[in-house]
Amino acid sequence: MSIFGFHYRLERKAISLILGIVLVSSIGGLVEIAPLFTISQTVETAPDMRLYTPLELAGRNIYIREGCYACHSQMIRTLRDEVDRYGPYSLAVESKYDHPMLWGSKRTGPDLARIGEKYSDQWHVAHMINPRDVVPVSVMPAYDWLLANELRTDDLSLHLKAQRKVGVPYTDDMVANAAADAYGQANPDSTQADGLTKRYGKATTVRIFDGQADRLTEMDAMVAYLQVLGRLTTAAGKSMAQTGASQ
Amino acid sequence: MIAQLTRNERLHAIQIGLVVAVCGLLLGLAGRDDPIGLHGGLIFVAGLLAIFLVGRDYYAPEPSDDRLTRYYDDPSKAGVVLSIAWAVFGLAVGDWVAWQLVNPDLTFGGGWSSFGRIRPVHTTSVIFGFGGNGLIATSLYVLQRTSRARLPDQLAPWFVLLGYNLFCVLAVTGYMMGITQSKEYAEPEWYADIWLVVVWVVYFLIYLRTLARRKEPHIYVSNWYYMAFILVVAILHIVNNLAMPLSFGSAKSYSAFSGVQDAMTQWWYGHNAVAFFLTAGFLGMMYYFLPVQSGRPIFSYRLSIISFWGITFFYMWAGSHHLHYTALPQWVQTLGITFSLMLLVPSWASAGNALLTLNGAWHKVRDDATLRFMMVAAVFYGLTTFEGSFMAIRSVNSLSHYTDWTIGHVHAGALGWVAFITFGSIYASVPWLWNRDGMYSAKLVEAHFWLGLAGTVIYVFAMWNSGIIQGLMWRTYNESGTLAYSFVDSLVAMRPYYVARAVGGLFFLIGACLGAYNIWMTIKNPGLVATQGGGRPEPKLAAQPAE
Amino acid sequence: MTVEHDFLVGLSKSFGLFYLIALSIAVLIYTFWPSNKRRFDRAAQSILDGEDKPWR
């Protein structure tokens, strides 16, 4: 019996050590993070906030796939020089549909939170094909194959469905027409383009992003995504104007 | 390897192989037209390989009960070799990536080889491949010695080691195919994440089962650190990787969190991965190998306990210092700074404890490069934690964040602390594990030490310079009140430092290659077998003043 | 969600502080409890003793 008592004591010690570690370590995270899940009660709202279109979402996934976030942030801090360089500082609401967020942690290249419509589509395409053609000292890799790769659209409905499961309010209509909407956004003259603007709003950019009318490429998606960055809502510009006026 | 398993364990090994192979096959079939299909195939092959290897020697004689009078070190041996192999691979990729910032056309035109895909290959290979295998190998070694108990069985440690390496391979090959969650240091997708959870649970159970067989009621402090590492990494990994896959046949998933919550969860994970993977585990290593190699007990055991609870408690609060001046609420940022500063206390307590242990043994530090690796590691640990707390202050962070300073800070810790303590522990344990009198060449250990130190110093100074210049250039205004430099100007200014950084990395890589060669020769050279037979030759070197 | 943000923040800030102080005191008591000293000294010394075999 003494063997049992001995072992009982030993194991109890190991277990209490484990419980101690779990308790001590997890509470710090809980105390800090739990309030953030109710933060929607305190942060600014943006009634005009629109969703990513299927083409933009596909572009975002290419941005993730290529690891662009390793060198480009999407978070303008509340510092004067950042606002002067990149535009109004980023608001929490602007990334509320970003699963996951792409705030980034390093700027080997410039911040991209408000890159949308600062450069033309042609500039972006040329820059992707060979960055050094437009910025001679750039150290960004070339992404010329984006123009050669056809964009995969057959699983876009699944993408929207998965997004809806994590809380992005895509409608059944949007899910059902995801592939057509992607095609329409890069083909302004097609009938699919009308369906797109009906579902995502008149302000949605419909253009031949990659300069090739007949094909839907990964370049279309990438440029469409870059051109919408910082333009899903106008809340940031308004918030800046208010703080500027009150000072 | 197989001969050491009992018949029952061989049967279980084949069953596990079968389950793995079936899962791989299902994934491969469901994801025929998705990158996940390739990974399914890879998992399938890994399962088949396990079945084949075990099946081939299935009827070999069973090990005798004699084995129970010895520790089971085969998984530790394999872990050490894997760790060094990952180190050489990961450092080589890291240096390649560094040269890409000097000459961006070093991608050779491939998509798989561009900076954004190769960078996580580097980080995963060195953190999880090199560091993780080093932790598993040394933890099993230390666990058995400090508990005076053999591992509970022969199969579970192999499952952990090989399963963990399968995870690393899935991760690294995935990035090159474009499979990534984009969460830094948690890039692998959902199926690899689930697999890691399974492996991790078994790892934890090995720890519990071995501790239950120990003789001493008190658990040695190294095991506290190793257990905190295993437990908290499990919590972090599961929470941060909660995601919704598109389907069973798709590698892609969407994070359950978005925006601010996701940022906070990610950096709660990211910061504590540094705390519990890159600090707690390696402190466990240090608290065992440094006293043993120097032949002196730890300076203050009490201090080691206080620093343990301090680190376990404070680190968890500090993650938000990664998000200063962002859309994160102010009070969370302030909390992050406060705790980052308080972290200095337990961190320096550990570093000081290590250095004070060496007090009176400095002649050994001078003569023994292995011990010097550990000493320098403790110094860099102290320096890096000081720098970390400093960088968490908002005004400093406004300059340092987004710049190369962060990269310099990380590498001061990763190269100077984590890699040095690992190399030191490996150099200490290889002769003990393979029953040799010493390493094949003490001169090569010496060369490795100086190459590693030079590489680290060059790297860190280059990144400090470039980071601070970068930060200053971004915020400099001219007299008319407009920004003085364009972003491109700052990029041009970085170039010489990027060259210096890549050269420093090359030094470090060459050192690791020498280490790999040295270890290989030690293992292969039967002439080095220790003469007194069995056990660790070290304690007899230790003159114990207290006794 | 029925839990108010301000409530959670308040709880974090007050409870967190007490939790911190209580924990620190508990750890210090455990570490400096006189009868624990012998055990700690033995543990520190134990890794240097011969340990080339499992105890059973």
Side-chain angles (χ1 to χ4, degrees):
Chain A
M1 278 316 282
S2 72
I3 292 287
F4 279 110
F6 178 58
H7 257 123
Y8 178 70
R9 228 160 23 100
L10 287 182
E11 279 161 49
R12 206 182 44 187
K13 284 207 174 190
I15 300 286
S16 49
L17 178 58
I18 289 160
L19 284 179
I21 293 171
V22 171
L23 268 180
V24 167
S25 58
S26 57
I27 287 182
L30 274 179
V31 167
E32 233 178 354
I33 296 179
L36 295 182
F37 283 86
T38 53
I39 202 164
S40 50
Q41 298 165 0
T42 62
V43 296
E44 65 291 321
T45 51
D48 62 338
M49 180 95 179
R50 81 160 169 87
L51 302 171
Y52 291 111
T53 64
L55 189 66
E56 291 155 5
L57 186 68
R60 190 169 197 275
N61 288 336
I62 296 170
Y63 183 99
I64 289 173
R65 183 186 78 192
E66 300 304 334
C68 305
Y69 59 86
C71 294
H72 294 282
S73 58
Q74 289 187 21
M75 171 49 62
I76 301 168
R77 296 182 293 170
T78 54
L79 298 168
R80 182 184 159 207
D81 61 292
E82 299 219 350
V83 171
D84 283 350
R85 190 181 296 278
Y86 300 116
Y89 58 80
S90 301
L91 300 179
V93 67
E94 287 181 279
S95 49
K96 78 168 173 178
Y97 296 139
D98 286 7
H99 292 264
M101 57 86 205
L102 294 171
W103 292 9
S105 60
K106 176 70 172 63
R107 284 181 187 151
T108 306
D111 188 275
L112 298 181
R114 309 215 179 281
I115 196 72
E117 303 297 345
K118 276 197 185 156
Y119 298 87
S120 66
D121 294 346
Q122 290 82 350
W123 187 91
H124 279 297
V125 173
H127 185 244
M128 288 287 166
I129 291 174
N130 183 10
R132 276 153 297 288
D133 285 350
V134 281
V135 184
V137 297
S138 169
V139 293
M140 187 171 123
Y143 292 95
D144 48 339
W145 71 89
L146 292 182
L147 198 58
N149 287 6
E150 299 284 337
L151 182 72
R152 183 176 173 187
T153 56
D154 60 325
D155 62 349
L156 277 175
S157 289
L158 281 176
H159 281 269
L160 262 57
K161 243 188 219 162
Q163 286 259 309
R164 191 162 64 180
K165 281 188 198 142
V166 291
V168 183
Y170 284 110
T171 63
D172 289 338
D173 198 22
M174 289 169 171
V175 170
N177 293 292
D181 285 348
Y183 178 82
Q185 193 169 5
N187 290 279
D189 298 331
S190 64
T191 49
Q192 287 94 326
D194 300 336
L196 175 83
T197 44
K198 200 178 80 214
R199 276 181 283 275
Y200 292 89
K202 285 260 179 309
T204 313
T205 321
V206 181
R207 284 200 299 255
I208 307 172
F209 294 99
D210 66 352
Q212 302 178 346
D214 49 332
R215 295 170 63 225
L216 185 63
T217 63
E218 294 192 336
M219 186 71 86
D220 275 314
M222 191 68 190
V223 175
Y225 173 61
L226 291 174
Q227 295 292 32
V228 82
L229 278 175
R231 298 175 61 83
L232 289 175
T233 165
T234 54
K238 282 183 194 142
S239 153
M240 281 289 285
Q242 275 165 13
T243 45
S246 64
Q247 271 166 4
Chain B
M1 167 184 166
I2 308 299
Q4 286 296 316
L5 304 183
T6 63
R7 188 63 49 80
N8 240 342
E9 285 170 339
R10 289 175 208 171
L11 184 65
H12 290 320
I14 289 180
Q15 287 165 342
I16 293 171
L18 210 60
V19 172
V20 170
V22 168
C23 288
L25 192 65
L26 289 177
L27 268 187
L29 288 177
R32 288 183 302 282
D33 42 3
D34 193 90
I36 202 180
L38 273 174
H39 269 168
L42 190 82
I43 297 169
F44 179 62
V45 171
L48 284 192
L49 203 66
I51 297 174
F52 171 73
L53 285 177
V54 177
R56 204 181 48 180
D57 288 337
Y58 188 78
Y59 290 106
E62 285 200 86
S64 68
D65 282 348
D66 203 32
R67 72 181 192 280
L68 298 177
T69 62
R70 292 185 305 271
Y71 296 124
Y72 189 48
D73 283 334
D74 290 0
S76 293
K77 290 181 182 177
V80 165
V81 172
L82 283 166
S83 171
I84 278 291
W86 276 106
V88 171
F89 173 74
L91 291 169
V93 174
D95 204 42
W96 177 23
V97 163
W99 287 110
Q100 281 194 0
L101 286 184
V102 178
N103 177 3
D105 290 322
L106 282 174
T107 58
F108 310 113
W112 64 273
S113 57
S114 63
F115 185 95
R117 292 200 195 181
I118 294 291
R119 177 194 176 261
V121 172
H122 161 61
T123 54
T124 300
S125 302
V126 290
I127 298 174
F128 298 108
F130 169 44
N133 275 304
L135 285 172
I136 294 177
T138 57
S139 69
L140 296 180
Y141 181 94
V142 171
L143 172 65
Q144 295 184 85
R145 264 93 189 154
T146 52
S147 310
R148 304 273 201 282
R150 184 184 160 92
L151 293 177
D153 67 296
Q154 281 89 227
L155 179 58
W158 284 112
F159 175 76
V160 170
L161 186 72
L162 300 178
Y164 180 74
N165 279 278
L166 176 62
F167 165 78
C168 292
V169 169
L170 286 178
V172 165
T173 52
Y175 309 148
M176 295 198 247
M177 293 191 281
I179 302 176
T180 171
Q181 284 193 112
S182 84
K183 291 184 156 230
E184 285 180 77
Y185 318 112
E187 291 96 344
E189 271 291 356
W190 60 275
Y191 52 98
D193 289 336
I194 294 173
W195 172 244
L196 184 64
V197 172
V198 175
V199 169
W200 219 245
V201 168
V202 177
Y203 187 21
F204 180 58
L205 288 178
I206 291 180
Y207 239 88
L208 276 190
R209 288 157 69 206
T210 311
L211 283 179
R213 295 149 57 89
R214 75 190 186 277
K215 186 183 182 188
E216 189 74 20
H218 185 77
I219 302 173
Y220 185 67
V221 73
S222 277
N223 292 319
W224 299 27
Y225 283 97
Y226 280 124
M227 275 168 77
F229 145 66
I230 299 171
L231 270 173
V232 181
V233 165
I235 299 174
L236 298 170
H237 174 77
I238 291 172
V239 173
N240 190 40
N241 283 306
L242 290 174
M244 176 54 66
L246 294 197
S247 69
F248 183 67
S250 170
K252 177 75 189 165
S253 68
Y254 286 104
S255 168
F257 311 109
S258 72
V260 190
Q261 284 98 335
D262 188 43
M264 191 57 222
T265 314
Q266 159 60 24
W267 288 111
W268 168 76
Y269 166 89
H271 188 77
N272 289 303
V274 173
F276 289 90
F277 204 102
L278 293 178
T279 302
F282 293 92
L283 281 173
M285 228 184 242
M286 185 187 81
Y287 277 118
Y288 180 83
F289 286 99
L290 186 122
V292 172
Q293 182 73 14
S294 67
R296 303 173 61 82
I298 193 76
F299 169 72
S300 166
Y301 195 82
R302 282 174 166 166
L303 200 55
S304 72
I305 294 177
I306 296 179
S307 23
F308 172 80
W309 289 111
I311 282 174
T312 315
F313 183 76
F314 293 158
Y315 253 111
M316 274 292 174
W317 300 67
S320 53
H321 68 219
H322 288 254
L323 301 166
H324 284 333
Y325 297 103
T326 65
L328 193 74
Q330 183 92 14
W331 71 272
V332 182
Q333 298 182 25
T334 310
L335 207 61
I337 307 175
T338 316
F339 278 88
S340 304
L341 291 177
M342 295 200 318
L343 254 179
L344 203 54
V345 175
S347 303
W348 275 29
S350 285
N353 211 350
L355 293 178
L356 287 169
T357 302
L358 295 174
N359 224 352
W362 291 110
H363 60 287
K364 285 189 199 165
V365 178
R366 187 191 59 210
D367 298 337
D368 180 6
T370 304
L371 197 54
R372 218 177 312 129
F373 263 110
M374 300 183 196
M375 189 273 287
V376 168
V379 172
F380 266 99
Y381 178 61
L383 289 176
T384 311
T385 45
F386 174 76
E387 189 188 19
S389 299
F390 182 62
M391 287 168 82
I393 300 168
R394 272 165 67 90
S395 50
V396 180
N397 194 270
S398 75
L399 178 79
S400 76
H401 194 55
Y402 293 135
T403 72
D404 285 324
W405 190 352
T406 312
I407 315 299
H409 168 63
V410 168
H411 281 82
L415 301 177
W417 153 242
V418 173
F420 264 56
I421 193 71
T422 311
F423 284 135
S425 304
I426 286 178
Y427 281 134
S429 58
V430 162
W432 305 341
L433 278 169
W434 273 274
N435 196 22
R436 303 287 193 259
D437 263 337
M439 290 300 294
Y440 165 73
S441 161
K443 283 213 176 87
L444 280 178
V445 181
E446 195 73 33
H448 180 186
F449 173 80
W450 289 110
L451 277 169
L453 186 60
T456 307
V457 171
I458 294 172
Y459 191 112
V460 171
F461 270 91
M463 289 295 95
W464 277 342
N465 276 304
S466 74
I468 292 172
I469 291 174
Q470 215 172 13
L472 290 176
M473 282 179 90
W474 289 346
R475 60 158 62 167
T476 303
Y477 283 86
N478 54 28
E479 292 93 42
S480 57
T482 52
L483 291 165
Y485 302 100
S486 71
F487 191 90
V488 167
D489 292 336
S490 74
L491 194 61
V492 174
M494 292 309 99
R495 195 178 156 83
Y497 303 108
Y498 284 170
V499 175
R501 178 255 294 270
V503 170
L506 190 62
F507 278 19
F508 203 89
L509 169 66
I510 295 172
C513 291
L514 292 184
Y517 172 74
N518 200 0
I519 291 166
W520 187 248
M521 291 307 284
T522 310
I523 298 172
K524 283 294 129 195
N525 201 330
L528 295 170
V529 171
T531 38
Q532 76 276 21
R536 196 181 58 209
E538 228 49 46
K540 72 180 161 58
L541 299 175
Q544 277 303 316
E547 282 173 350
Chain C
M1 189 138 342
T2 51
V3 187
E4 292 292 317
H5 180 67
D6 290 339
F7 169 76
L8 274 180
V9 172
L11 188 74
S12 293
K13 290 179 180 175
S14 56
F15 169 74
L17 183 69
F18 289 121
Y19 173 68
L20 165 70
I21 294 170
L23 185 101
S24 310
I25 292 173
V27 167
L28 285 175
I29 289 177
Y30 169 72
T31 317
F32 288 100
W33 199 258
S35 64
N36 279 348
K37 183 177 177 4
R38 207 161 42 95
R39 179 190 304 172
F40 292 157
D41 288 344
R42 209 169 87 175
Q45 197 60 244
S46 70
I47 56 166
L48 299 174
D49 302 341
E51 49 178 50
D52 47 342
K53 270 197 201 72
W55 68 289
R56 56 164 185 194

